[in-house]
Amino acid sequence: MLPILLLLLPASSPALAWIPFEDWESGNVTASVGDSGQCICHVSLPDITFPANRVQHMQEVSKDLILEVEIQMKKIVVYSGKLEVYLEELLDLTVRVALLESNPDNYIKLDFELLRIELREFEALVSQLKESLNSSSPMFDSLYTEIHNMTAIVNQLETYDKSNLDMIRIEFAKLQKKLEDCQKDQELIKPDIGNCNHTGILSITKPMVVQMNAHLNPSYQYGGWGKDSKPVRGYESMYFYGGHTTPYVYDFRLFSDYGNLLLRAAFKIHSIPRGWEGAGDNFIIHRNSIYYQLNAPFSMSKLNLTNSKYEYRVIPAASKRFSYSYSTNQNMDFAADESGLWVMYASEESKGKVVIAKIDEKSFGIEDEWSTGAFKQLAGNAFMACGVMYATRSVDLNTEEIYYSYNTQTKEEKHLNIRFQKFQEKYSNLDYNPTDQKLYMYNHGYYVSYNVRFNRE
């Protein structure tokens, strides 16, 4: 209400005649006679000022709410993708439990430890979903409870009779049914290792997301992982990982086998000495030697893991101006396949198009070169398989495609459309391994792999 208005008039003033008597006693108008005989009127008027400050406040609140809704929607999309990935891992766990049951003599403590690790990751995912979506749905509580029950069962079965492994498989089936967003099992492929009697890649399977990097930190977005492409005796099962927060290379971790990779139990960590630090993410291990890009001088570098000897070779034509689209400093891309060791780069002379170079492993020099029609800066990455270079590019946030190939034997170029799923939008390393015919991708801090199917018509 507005402040009271006082009117001082003589009691006999005709101005009072227009005010109805009943209003004098109302809540809006009251009257009284003063000591000097004057009439005092008290008038209260409603506050009709436009509340501009309130409207502005409401607009600000509305903007904040809209932003919060967008953030929550993005979280839903991200966690939806994670659910699909964990479902595939769940299917893999089910198969592994069945193998344990069918081969009780091969039962070891590590098998149960791996199950416990992956159950903890399921638990973390459900907790993140519940907290991020601010949901108190009974579904989340039920999933959380069942994961704890399965963990208890795994612990018990370590001391009970091995035939009780059936219980684990039943519990995994229940959890898989509750998640509801099931996808088909990854297609089983029996690769013909070492045989290039085919016409090229036919398809790529769905991604198998192993887990987050050995640092357990999503900030380690740059790096790579995989297996030795031509292992020496005694290191056939070895895996490597090099992860960094920037596109520079300063150490590598070696794991004796897949189980120790999952347990993050490296048997050796190579810290690269000052002056030999690398750049980019396209490094590989071939014949127990790590090949990576050196920036000072700009060259290809080699670390022999057996004797810890370092070497480098300059490629005069290679340029530092051209990198893949997902990451900087990816100027030299090393690859290995059934026919040997390769390095891919772009030069000023090639006008930014990829040049394939065959590396002579004995002299650590360039044996031969081929110019392709693939612009390096438009490609997400590239790899070699059976003497053919395959270049990839992004289709959308969740899809990548092999769009180009160059055959070094026939000098034939092809434009392809072989699509495959990505776990997350960007990745920093993609390499083919001829020992198991798989693609190894380092996808935004996660180990991801694919089976490759060749056209063997």
Side-chain angles (χ1 to χ4, degrees), residues 129-241:
L129 283 172
K130 185 175 180 180
E131 179 181 349
S132 176
L133 301 179
N134 195 21
S135 172
S136 59
S137 168
M139 182 189 72
F140 288 119
D141 295 333
S142 176
L143 286 173
Y144 196 82
T145 301
E146 290 210 17
I147 290 172
H148 272 275
N149 290 341
M150 279 188 284
T151 303
I153 291 173
V154 170
N155 293 335
Q156 292 172 2
L157 286 178
E158 245 181 321
T159 57
Y160 293 169
D161 190 87
K162 298 180 184 67
S163 63
N164 288 330
L165 286 168
D166 247 351
M167 295 172 62
I168 302 180
R169 187 172 55 185
I170 293 172
E171 294 299 326
F172 272 119
K174 289 180 181 178
L175 180 59
Q176 179 182 336
K177 185 178 179 181
K178 287 202 171 202
L179 289 173
E180 289 184 353
D181 219 356
C182 240
Q183 295 196 1
K184 294 181 180 179
D185 286 322
Q186 182 170 302
E187 181 183 0
L188 295 177
I189 296 177
K190 295 181 179 179
D192 191 2
I193 303 299
N195 188 352
C196 289
N197 185 24
H198 54 73
T199 58
I201 293 177
L202 181 64
S203 63
I204 307 295
T205 64
K206 292 181 179 180
M208 175 60 192
V209 182
V210 180
Q211 64 182 32
M212 188 175 281
N213 58 67
H215 289 92
L216 292 179
N217 191 332
S219 298
Y220 286 75
Q221 299 177 10
Y222 303 95
W225 78 294
K227 297 177 65 178
D228 192 322
S229 53
K230 195 164 186 178
V232 298
R233 182 175 297 179
Y235 291 88
E236 293 85 356
S237 301
M238 184 181 74
Y239 283 79
F240 69 89
Y241 158 69

Side-chain angles (χ1 to χ4, degrees), residues 52-107:
N53 59 334
R54 297 182 184 177
V55 172
Q56 183 179 0
H57 176 69
M58 288 301 297
Q59 289 176 337
E60 293 175 354
V61 172
S62 297
K63 288 180 182 178
D64 291 341
L65 286 175
I66 291 172
L67 179 61
E68 182 64 25
V69 169
E70 290 178 352
I71 291 173
Q72 295 302 326
M73 288 299 293
K74 289 179 181 178
K75 286 183 179 180
I76 290 174
V77 172
V78 170
Y79 283 109
S80 175
K82 286 187 177 182
L83 275 175
E84 293 181 1
V85 170
Y86 274 85
L87 273 167
E88 293 204 3
E89 290 192 9
L90 188 58
L91 293 172
D92 179 62
L93 284 173
T94 306
V95 172
R96 284 158 51 195
V97 169
L99 289 174
L100 279 174
E101 182 188 26
S102 61
N103 298 281
D105 293 336
N106 295 330
Y107 151 76

Side-chain angles (χ1 to χ4, degrees), residues 336-354:
D337 64 2
E338 292 81 357
S339 53
L341 185 63
W342 311 81
V343 62
M344 293 169 281
Y345 63 89
S347 65
E348 300 295 336
E349 184 180 355
S350 72
K351 297 180 180 179
K353 294 182 180 180
V354 176

Side-chain angles (χ1 to χ4, degrees), residues 254-288:
L254 304 178
F255 306 88
S256 59
D257 52 34
Y258 185 75
N260 280 304
L261 173 76
L262 296 182
L263 293 173
R264 306 174 181 93
F267 74 86
K268 193 167 189 179
I269 299 178
H270 276 276
S271 296
I272 299 178
R274 189 172 182 179
W276 287 98
E277 298 93 337
D281 309 289
N282 291 291
F283 45 79
I284 62 168
I285 293 185
H286 185 74
R287 288 183 185 267
N288 213 38

